[in-house]
Amino acid sequence: MIYPSADTIEDMVGSRYSLVVIAAKRAKQIKEGAPILIETASTNPLTIALEEIAAGKVTASAPELTPTPKPADQDGELAPRGANSAGSETAVAATGEDAGANDEHTTA
């Protein structure tokens, strides 16, 4: 059994999914030769990673998102939103009262 258990350190990182990702990335770093940040008797990289997370030595932060420029067409103008290389329009789904107005009605 792995100590510490995932249940005890789940709240430290937000969710089980975050814990899995953080622990896996840290275990990979340890396996590739990164220094171990805590005193431990374990030689298992995943156990060491979980112990480091429980000790507060390993944390994760969300990446900062930066906007990317829109692609330009051949004339150097920005391409209109929803246009692809062929210049066709995007399909829009109908909702509300207009939805199904042109559908054929069949009876069973």
Side-chain angles (χ1 to χ4, degrees):
M1 184 160 178
I2 296 176
Y3 172 82
S5 69
D7 294 333
T8 59
I9 56 177
E10 177 182 343
D11 294 331
M12 297 177 72
V13 294
S15 70
R16 286 185 184 208
Y17 304 106
S18 298
L19 177 60
V20 167
V21 172
I22 295 166
K25 286 184 179 186
R26 180 61 184 145
K28 183 177 179 183
Q29 290 174 349
I30 293 169
K31 191 173 182 179
E32 292 174 348
I36 298 172
L37 306 175
I38 59 169
E39 296 280 330
T40 183
S42 178
T43 58
N44 184 327
L46 180 58
T47 303
I48 296 169
L50 289 170
E51 289 176 356
E52 288 179 344
I53 294 167
K57 300 291 184 178
V58 175
T59 59
S61 60
E64 189 170 315
L65 301 176
T66 56
T68 57
K70 293 181 182 179
D73 66 4
Q74 288 82 8
D75 298 329
E77 304 260 338
L78 289 178
R81 174 174 260 178
N84 60 17
S85 60
S88 64
E89 295 181 24
T90 57
V92 178
T95 59
E97 292 180 16
D98 294 336
N102 294 328
D103 293 347
E104 291 181 0
H105 296 288
T106 59
T107 58

